[in-house]
Amino acid sequence: MADKNISPDIGNDNDLECDFAIQNPMLKKDIFHDEIPHYNKEHEFRSNFQDSGVYSMVSIDKCPVQCSDINKLSDQIRDIGISADDEGFSMKSFKSFDSESSQISVPEPEPAEIEIDLNATDEDGDSLIHVAIVSLMSESALALIDIAIDSDCLNIQNYLHQCPLHLAVLTRQTEIVKALIEKGANVTLRDQQGNTPLHIACRMGDRDSVMALVKSFGDDVSGRKEYFAVRNCEGLTCVHVASQYKEFLILGHLFAKGADVNIGDAKSGRTILHYAAENKDMATVTKLLTHRNIDVDCKTFKGETPLVLAFWRNAEDIVKKLVSKGAEFSYDLFEESDDDNYV
């Protein structure tokens, strides 16, 4: 009998209304470093489960929530022949299920042509491509990117100035990163914190995205070097960010492609060697000193060398290391430094 396969909690002719969602760990807030706005929107898609004979409305939440009675709901949905394996999906309003005939009592809607406006945005400035990427709907995102006529819709920035490429890097979807670049997305756009997608990829240690972004310049060496020199709102280049997070493999790739090891930040003129010496980071100092173009006597805007910063931080081992690599040791340098700024 068909009735035996139906949960006793669900009447034969009753409507089943439930909000079923599984929390997706990829959408935890800390992954986005507070750069992804809090979404509280639903985008509804009609789906016809032909195998189960049930017509349903599937709602996809940007930020799924954990259901308190998820096991019971899963059993009920499975009993009536609906797969509930997809994370991030909630199923609502399963109506008019005929338990005796297992047929749909509501006529199946006729297929209709859907006109998609890829340039349209919601109240947060997000386009359909933004939504698909941040919802981890990779197939939908790739399909939307594929039908894009030009790159304008790929470069739309939301109210946080994030373009689809920023979100693809933030969510570690390298395939989408490559698809956007191939379609002509602008890799130099900056979000509200001044970060390019390359800054974010360096911070997250995403080597595949870093290589794809760098490769997008092809043989344009000057354009690539200018890209490496872009500074965010903290005055840091991608080289500074990669060094800060000790992404040495990424640093090596950037240097191999022409990044300047001696470039200073925009606030103080500190190079990555200055930062490493000041932070008593012997591992980074040692690696940087192997670079053939490293300037051990490069100065900040105040005229301080890495040796001076290491000295005022009582980093004796780094002082010795720098001196062994030819750093200038002069008492005049220390007399000119303002040690009130060091503790």
Side-chain angles (χ1 to χ4, degrees):
M1 297 291 291
D3 292 341
K4 294 182 179 180
N5 295 326
I6 300 178
S7 171
D9 295 335
I10 306 174
N12 291 343
D13 297 324
N14 291 341
D15 293 344
L16 171 61
E17 294 189 3
C18 61
D19 191 0
F20 175 74
I22 302 176
Q23 186 174 8
N24 190 329
M26 286 298 295
L27 291 181
K28 288 183 179 178
K29 184 178 179 182
D30 58 350
I31 287 182
F32 304 113
H33 300 275
D34 297 329
E35 292 187 356
I36 296 291
H38 176 69
Y39 290 99
N40 188 22
K41 296 175 289 188
E42 292 187 353
H43 300 267
E44 295 184 340
F45 298 85
R46 294 187 180 275
S47 175
N48 182 20
F49 293 86
Q50 296 179 351
D51 294 338
S52 63
V54 178
Y55 178 77
S56 68
M57 180 74 77
V58 178
S59 173
I60 302 175
D61 298 340
K62 283 187 176 179
C63 290
V65 295
Q66 186 71 39
C67 179
S68 60
D69 198 8
I70 193 169
N71 293 329
K72 181 178 178 181
L73 289 173
S74 297
D75 292 340
Q76 292 175 345
I77 292 172
R78 184 170 55 253
D79 287 341
I80 61 176
I82 298 175
S83 172
D85 295 329
D86 291 335
E87 293 188 358
F89 285 76
S90 60
M91 301 184 181
K92 297 181 179 179
S93 304
F94 294 94
K95 297 183 180 295
S96 303
F97 179 79
D98 188 340
S99 61
E100 295 182 357
S101 60
S102 297
Q103 298 296 324
I104 302 174
S105 59
V106 178
E108 182 178 347
E110 292 292 332
E113 293 185 2
I114 301 176
E115 185 175 343
I116 300 176
D117 184 0
L118 296 180
N119 291 302
T121 58
D122 60 18
E123 66 275 11
D124 296 322
D126 291 316
S127 67
L128 285 174
I129 297 178
H130 283 88
V131 174
I133 293 173
V134 80
S135 300
L136 304 182
M137 300 168 62
S138 58
E139 292 185 3
S140 298
L142 290 170
L144 292 171
I145 294 169
D146 185 59
I147 65 174
I149 299 176
D150 53 47
S151 61
D152 290 346
C153 62
L154 306 180
N155 296 323
I156 294 174
Q157 293 176 279
N158 60 22
Y159 81 98
L160 293 179
H161 289 190
Q162 295 166 321
C163 64
L165 198 51
H166 284 104
L167 298 183
V169 174
L170 278 169
T171 53
R172 295 180 179 273
Q173 299 184 78
T174 308
E175 186 178 2
I176 295 178
V177 171
K178 293 178 179 178
L180 287 166
I181 293 174
E182 290 175 1
K183 270 287 190 173
N186 187 348
V187 301
T188 66
L189 294 178
R190 290 187 271 184
D191 61 19
Q192 68 172 5
Q193 295 179 340
N195 290 314
T196 66
L198 183 58
H199 281 91
I200 298 172
C202 289
R203 184 186 69 203
M204 300 186 70
D206 187 348
R207 282 178 279 169
D208 291 335
S209 291
V210 168
M211 289 189 288
L213 291 165
V214 173
K215 186 179 179 180
S216 67
F217 286 88
D219 297 328
D220 184 5
V221 177
S222 61
R224 189 167 61 237
K225 289 184 177 180
E226 289 179 7
Y227 188 43
F228 293 153
V230 173
R231 296 171 173 86
N232 61 18
C233 294
E234 294 297 320
L236 304 177
T237 67
C238 59
V239 171
H240 288 92
V241 174
S243 177
Q244 180 181 359
Y245 286 87
K246 299 185 184 300
E247 295 293 343
F248 298 124
L249 291 177
I250 289 178
L251 270 178
H253 183 70
L254 296 176
F255 292 149
K257 295 299 181 179
D260 184 4
V261 67
N262 298 311
I263 191 170
D265 66 22
K267 290 186 175 181
S268 65
R270 281 172 166 79
T271 67
I272 54 178
L273 184 58
H274 282 98
Y275 279 109
E278 188 175 30
N279 294 327
K280 302 181 180 180
D281 186 353
M282 175 59 85
T284 301
V285 168
T286 301
K287 290 182 181 296
L288 291 176
L289 290 178
T290 63
H291 195 293
R292 61 183 179 181
N293 295 326
I294 192 72
D295 182 2
V296 294
D297 292 320
C298 53
K299 296 181 179 181
T300 65
F301 296 154
K302 293 174 61 177
E304 298 163 326
T305 66
L307 181 63
V308 170
L309 298 181
F311 176 83
W312 288 118
R313 293 295 185 183
N314 295 319
E316 296 181 4
D317 53 344
I318 293 180
V319 169
K320 293 178 181 178
K321 189 75 173 179
L322 291 169
V323 171
S324 69
K325 292 296 181 178
E328 179 185 357
F329 189 90
S330 171
Y331 285 105
D332 293 337
L333 292 173
F334 302 106
E335 291 174 357
E336 293 173 359
S337 298
D338 183 6
D339 58 350
D340 291 338
N341 294 327
Y342 300 95
V343 293

